[in-house]
């Protein structure tokens, strides 16, 4: 006998079986885990990232896990032509890749946010624009992976937050436009808290933030579910994202103070 949770998972698995899905930034971290979940569900998968060897490894694994088909396109998202990614048709576009950024003081190097906007925002816009005709035909979904740092200001993620807040603007407005146009394409914005990807950048943060990071495998599954269920937003982990968002709207100064207080600011390099 299955629990309600198990039943829902079965429904989601059936929904994604045979569906055509693109996952960007799938050579590592949360994106890699999404590819594995989709493979187990029997989807047609296309993954992207810059590092070809890693994409090859992830593809092999996906094939073994039962993907209906698996392809990859390697290259940097700043100058990738969105057309090069497109299959014969598309049911779900999962935008997940991010350029690397450091957790620390922003010293005014304008080239960093400029490049990050290109990778984290403009390529999301370009991919969405070129996928929309196919998504309209399939009544598909766009899923954009963002962060709590894309909803709440943080002293040590200035360039990163610039890009993630921008995604909220683009996708919230696009959702409205699609409704007005009567296009049946869903838009899901994933607001993630601190996730354990095992990356060096994430480990560097662990000295400053005492919270325990959430597992990337579960996170990846929740992202896929939220897209399949056509949810407006995903909050993961639910409590650690939803509470700050309620506080943000009602007592923003209190939330700002709380955000500063959960961090050991002395441990952040000043130079
Ligand atoms: N980890 C965390 O705590 C949190 C993560 N998030 C969000 O989750 C998503 C995934 O993050 P996470 O798994 O941690 O990140 P990772 O750094 O593990 O993965 C990033 C992926 O993007 C690819 N990538 C990086 N730069 C480029 C580029 N210029 N062009 C194309 N692909 C690129 C990388 O592959 P390659 O280097 O081979 O190109 C990699 O596959 C991101 O949107 C992030 O903002 C949100 C909140 C918290
Ligand atoms: C409202 C408060 C109670 C909680 C604040 C939560 C803060 C501390 C959480 C929420 C989102 C998190 C960051 C994130 O999204 C992605 C990355 C990129 C990765 O390469 C390195 C780690 C980094 C910077 C995370 C650092 C910790 C952040 C700011």
């Amino acid at each position: 006998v299955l629990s309600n949770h198990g039943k829902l998972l079965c429904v989601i698995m059936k929904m994604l079986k045979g569906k055509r899905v693109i996952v960007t930034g799938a050579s590592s971290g949360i994106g890699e885990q999404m590819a594995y979940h989709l493979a187990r569900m029997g989807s047609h998968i296309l993954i992207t990232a810059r590092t070809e060897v890693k994409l090859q490894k992830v593809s092999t694994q996906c094939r073994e896990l039962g993907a209906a088909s698996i392809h990859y396109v390697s290259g940097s998202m700043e100058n990738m032509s969105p057309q090069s990614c497109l299959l014969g048709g598309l049911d779900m576009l999962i935008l997940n890749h991010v350029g690397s950024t450091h957790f620390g003081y922003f010293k005014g190097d304008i080239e960093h946010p400029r490049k990050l906007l290109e990778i984290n925002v403009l390529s999301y816009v370009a991919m969405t624009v070129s996928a929309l005709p196919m998504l309209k035909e399939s009544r598909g979904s766009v899923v954009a992976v963002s962060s709590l740092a894309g909803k709440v200001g943080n002293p040590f993620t200035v360039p990163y937050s610039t890009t993630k807040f921008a995604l909220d603007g683009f996708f919230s407005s696009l959702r409205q436009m699609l409704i007005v146009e009567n296009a049946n394409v869903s838009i899901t914005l994933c607001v993630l808290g601190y996730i354990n990807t095992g990356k060096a950048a994430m480990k560097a943060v662990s000295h400053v933030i005492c919270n325990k990071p959430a597992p990337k495998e579960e996170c990846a599954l929740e992202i896929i579910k939220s897209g399949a269920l056509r949810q407006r937003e995903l909050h993961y982990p639910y409590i650690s994202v939803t509470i700050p968002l309620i506080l943000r709207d009602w007592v923003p100064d209190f939330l700002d103070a709380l955000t500063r207080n959960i961090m050991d600011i002395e441990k952040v390099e000043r130079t």
Side-chain angles (χ1 to χ4, degrees):
V1 186
L2 281 174
S3 63
N4 280 336
H5 184 76
K7 280 181 202 156
L8 179 62
L9 195 59
C10 282
V11 172
I12 306 277
M13 288 181 79
K14 278 186 196 133
M15 286 169 89
L16 283 157
K17 195 178 162 95
K19 290 284 153 62
R20 299 149 296 182
V21 186
I22 294 178
V23 185
T24 70
S27 68
S28 70
I30 301 162
E32 176 184 1
Q33 298 304 318
M34 287 196 265
Y36 298 153
H37 283 301
L38 290 164
R40 285 186 206 102
M41 293 174 184
S43 309
H44 293 277
I45 311 165
L46 190 150
I47 57 176
T48 79
R50 288 167 307 175
T51 324
E52 190 166 0
V53 278
K54 287 199 216 162
L55 288 173
Q56 280 168 349
K57 281 185 190 155
V58 176
S59 300
T60 308
Q61 189 92 17
C62 285
R63 216 166 280 123
E64 283 167 15
L65 288 170
S69 71
I70 173 87
H71 296 274
Y72 68 78
V73 178
S74 61
S76 179
M77 274 295 167
E78 304 154 81
N79 38 38
M80 185 175 289
S81 89
Q83 284 77 12
S84 70
C85 289
L86 298 177
L87 318 155
L90 186 66
D91 298 291
M92 191 183 283
L93 173 64
I94 305 181
L95 297 162
N96 163 82
H97 66 276
V98 271
S100 64
T101 186
H102 84 296
F103 185 82
Y105 291 90
F106 175 56
K107 302 286 184 21
D109 168 24
I110 178 75
E111 284 315 312
H112 178 56
R114 202 195 296 282
K115 187 160 179 260
L116 218 53
L117 278 165
E118 200 78 52
I119 303 168
N120 295 4
V121 183
L122 292 174
S123 72
Y124 279 45
V125 173
M127 288 284 288
T128 304
V129 166
S130 61
L132 262 182
M134 282 191 262
L135 291 172
K136 283 179 179 170
E137 201 164 296
S138 65
R139 297 164 176 261
S141 311
V142 181
V143 179
V145 181
S146 186
S147 163
L148 193 47
K151 287 276 192 184
V152 175
N154 184 289
F156 306 118
T157 57
V158 172
Y160 178 77
S161 289
T162 304
T163 67
K164 291 300 194 183
F165 270 74
L167 291 181
D168 197 357
F170 174 69
F171 285 106
S172 298
S173 303
L174 186 71
R175 186 188 293 114
Q176 288 280 61
M177 190 191 89
L178 292 169
I179 293 170
V180 170
E181 281 183 346
N182 275 319
N184 198 348
V185 177
S186 69
I187 304 281
T188 303
L189 186 75
C190 301
V191 186
L192 307 183
Y194 190 26
I195 312 297
N196 193 353
T197 52
K199 279 254 165 136
M202 181 246 126
K203 281 183 179 154
V205 178
S206 66
H207 302 292
V208 182
I209 299 162
C210 57
N211 295 37
K212 229 184 94 190
K216 60 181 175 183
E217 297 82 1
E218 186 183 59
C219 177
L221 186 57
E222 291 303 317
I223 294 172
I224 294 166
K225 269 202 225 171
S226 68
L229 296 174
R230 308 176 87 79
Q231 284 174 29
R232 177 192 181 89
E233 282 191 354
L234 166 70
H235 294 175
Y236 179 87
Y238 184 74
I239 298 289
S240 8
V241 169
T242 303
I243 304 261
L245 291 189
I246 293 168
L247 295 176
R248 177 188 82 144
D249 291 340
W250 291 85
V251 281
D253 287 320
F254 173 72
L255 177 66
D256 280 357
L258 187 74
T259 303
R260 296 190 301 268
N261 279 319
I262 63 153
M263 295 185 288
D264 192 347
I265 288 174
E266 295 307 310
K267 288 199 178 142
V268 181
E269 191 112 36
R270 277 189 176 273
T271 50

